Amino acid sequence: MEIHIGDRIADVTLVSKEGNKVQLTIDGVPYDVDIVMAENGSCSILHEGKSYNAELIRKEGGKSYTVNAHYQSYNIDIIDSQAKYLRMRKGGEEKQQDKIVSPMPGKVVKIPVKVGDRLQAGDIVVVIEAMKMQSNYKVNSECVVKEILVNEGDSVNSNQVIMTLDVVKEEE
């Protein structure tokens, strides 16, 4: 996921989590940390024998935080993968492509369509879970499901084709 910390943009990937032990990469650099969260938003982070304390204050919308640490405050914005994917496309008003591609690694939670279904713009075609967050992926124009290449419960990689579509051509 992409995280904005003030003017800095960091690419953060959760590698594994077991109890309080977390393995992650920040801009490709691996980190092993022990994180303990308290109910009041404060957390204790242990990394390479050093202890750090921080206070997390969630802003409206749930994707932005103020983090107070070391007598400084930082504004943190978490950019979810679907928003990043849509932003990277040249304006979200493009015509529907002939396939649905996973923008991130994750687990296929739900496929509410079947081969042959005729879809309208805005219909959800797959739900993917990554790092305990579910994202709905929708089509942006009329199309028909041609082939579904994954099953519910499957793990998918970033840029993996999930399904193919026949895009309905507009009458001119």
Side-chain angles (χ1 to χ4, degrees):
M1 83 181 96
E2 184 176 288
I3 297 181
H4 295 196
I5 308 164
D7 293 334
R8 181 175 187 268
I9 297 175
D11 181 36
V12 179
T13 302
L14 178 64
V15 177
S16 69
K17 182 181 184 310
E18 188 174 317
N20 295 334
K21 302 221 181 283
V22 177
Q23 290 183 321
L24 53 97
T25 62
I26 301 174
D27 293 330
V29 178
Y31 292 90
D32 291 319
V33 294
D34 194 325
I35 301 174
V36 178
M37 293 293 297
E39 288 182 27
N40 64 2
S42 62
C43 70
S44 176
I45 303 166
L46 186 63
H47 174 64
E48 293 182 345
K50 294 181 182 174
S51 180
Y52 305 91
N53 293 310
E55 175 188 35
L56 281 75
I57 302 167
R58 177 181 252 167
K59 297 179 184 176
E60 279 188 46
K63 297 282 186 182
S64 297
Y65 297 84
T66 298
V67 177
N68 298 316
H70 301 295
Y71 306 105
Q72 293 186 358
S73 288
Y74 304 91
N75 289 316
I76 309 288
D77 294 308
I78 299 172
I79 308 302
D80 69 22
S81 297
Q82 185 175 17
K84 181 180 176 184
Y85 173 73
L86 292 173
R87 189 182 69 237
M88 287 170 54
R89 293 179 62 185
K90 298 172 192 154
E93 296 302 315
E94 285 185 5
K95 291 287 183 201
Q96 177 66 50
Q97 300 296 312
D98 64 351
K99 60 187 169 225
I100 299 293
V101 177
S102 178
M104 64 184 164
K107 179 181 175 183
V108 177
V109 176
K110 186 175 183 181
I111 303 173
V113 298
K114 59 186 181 307
V115 173
D117 282 357
R118 188 176 188 102
L119 307 174
Q120 301 298 317
D123 286 350
I124 296 171
V125 293
V126 66
V127 179
I128 295 178
E129 181 179 279
M131 299 185 338
K132 299 189 181 189
M133 291 182 58
Q134 292 187 359
S135 297
N136 297 327
Y137 295 91
K138 304 173 183 179
V139 293
N140 61 14
S141 65
E142 194 174 350
C143 57
V144 176
V145 178
K146 183 176 177 181
E147 186 178 20
I148 299 174
L149 304 170
V150 297
N151 295 304
E152 290 180 2
D154 286 356
S155 292
V156 292
N157 297 314
S158 187
N159 298 319
Q160 180 176 339
V161 178
I162 294 171
M163 68 181 62
T164 60
L165 307 168
D166 279 328
V167 179
V168 175
K169 305 287 185 217
E170 291 182 24
E171 303 281 331
E172 295 197 29

